[in-house]
Amino acid sequence: AVSATSDPSGPWHKYRFNVDADAAFDFDIDSPNIAVDDQTVYLTADFFGPDKYLIYTVDKAPVLEGAANPTTNSLLLINEQSWGLAVSYDNPPAQYTIEAGLGFSETTVILRAITDPFGSLNIDEYVLTVPAYQFPEDPPSQGTTERPELFEARFWSCMYRNGYLWATHHVNSARVRQRWYQIAMNGWPAGGTPELVQWGEVDPGSPVRTFFGSIWADEQNNMSMTFARS
């Protein structure tokens, strides 16, 4: 849905896309996501049987005007799920994504660059070494033995601005903590290769856990985060 004016209480242009055929007629959908750059709306979701990841692109300009049939494109990837989809605040060389390893202990994340969104939907891949992280613990909650499910170390919040990819996920099996990264993309895939600039973990000290975070940076590269804690 896109607001028709600058007033969010006014009319909206609303869209619904049938992706049954794109997802190989799999009716189980999970972890939907959205990102927007200067030209394209990116919609993604997980499907099952086997694991599948659908990338769906929508031409941005027509939907801003409420056009009935905007140009779309799609790509279905088998045995892939839950890439972090970066929201872009300026004009990136590609639509970036970031994926965490799902093993018990990992030392890399996978960066991907999506180009030609209304043509062949090209995807370049780069494996970036980061400090070791573990499959996250489900944190305890006060007054109950039940624990919230943290759904692995997957990325749900990331953004691109000023040439940097900012991303966050929860990690560590002994005491889960929210981790963040600042990654210089260096014009990749057309220019240089990505490199880790800095990283950290939100750690108020034991026994506090931090998890389910989101991240944002302003035009001066000041970063802020939100997160849950127990």
Side-chain angles (χ1 to χ4, degrees):
V2 185
S3 59
T5 70
S6 60
D7 180 4
S9 65
W12 287 66
H13 306 305
K14 296 181 180 180
Y15 293 87
R16 179 176 293 164
F17 302 101
N18 187 332
V19 298
D20 291 345
D22 302 272
F25 299 97
D26 189 324
F27 299 103
D28 293 325
I29 185 171
D30 194 21
S31 299
N33 211 337
I34 186 172
V36 181
D37 63 20
D38 61 332
Q39 296 180 336
T40 309
V41 179
Y42 295 86
L43 304 170
T44 67
D46 294 343
F47 294 84
F48 303 95
D51 289 353
K52 291 174 278 189
Y53 186 65
L54 178 66
I55 301 171
Y56 197 87
T57 61
V58 183
D59 190 9
K60 180 180 176 181
V63 301
L64 294 179
E65 302 298 327
N69 295 296
T71 299
T72 65
N73 196 10
S74 65
L75 178 65
L76 184 67
L77 303 172
I78 307 299
N79 297 321
E80 291 286 348
Q81 286 201 335
S82 291
W83 299 358
L85 190 64
V87 175
S88 300
Y89 281 81
D90 45 27
N91 188 21
Q95 169 60 45
Y96 292 125
T97 73
I98 181 170
E99 181 185 12
L102 300 183
F104 178 77
S105 184
E106 301 280 356
T107 58
T108 61
V109 296
I110 301 174
L111 303 173
R112 294 184 176 89
I114 303 171
T115 54
D116 195 16
F118 299 106
S120 57
L121 266 172
N122 297 323
I123 298 178
D124 291 274
E125 183 175 294
Y126 186 85
V127 178
L128 180 70
T129 299
V130 298
Y133 59 94
Q134 296 175 322
F135 195 95
E137 165 210 37
D138 289 338
S141 295
Q142 186 173 354
T144 178
T145 58
E146 297 296 324
R147 297 188 175 213
E149 170 61 55
L150 294 196
F151 304 107
E152 304 161 330
R154 302 183 186 197
F155 289 91
W156 281 292
S157 177
C158 51
M159 65 166 291
Y160 174 89
R161 196 170 204 170
N162 294 340
Y164 297 109
L165 181 70
W166 299 84
T168 184
H169 63 157
H170 41 233
V171 299
N172 302 318
S173 59
R175 179 170 59 89
V176 63
R177 297 184 292 280
Q178 192 69 32
R179 178 183 284 195
W180 60 271
Y181 307 94
Q182 180 189 14
I183 301 167
M185 300 309 291
N186 296 325
W188 179 73
T193 55
E195 54 187 332
L196 181 63
V197 176
Q198 59 176 333
W199 69 282
E201 292 180 0
V202 181
D203 185 2
S206 182
V208 178
R209 277 79 163 172
T210 57
F211 50 95
F212 278 142
S214 61
I215 194 167
W216 180 84
D218 67 15
E219 60 186 5
Q220 284 83 40
N221 298 321
N222 299 304
M223 183 269 283
S224 60
M225 293 177 63
T226 64
F227 53 91
R229 58 176 281 166
S230 72

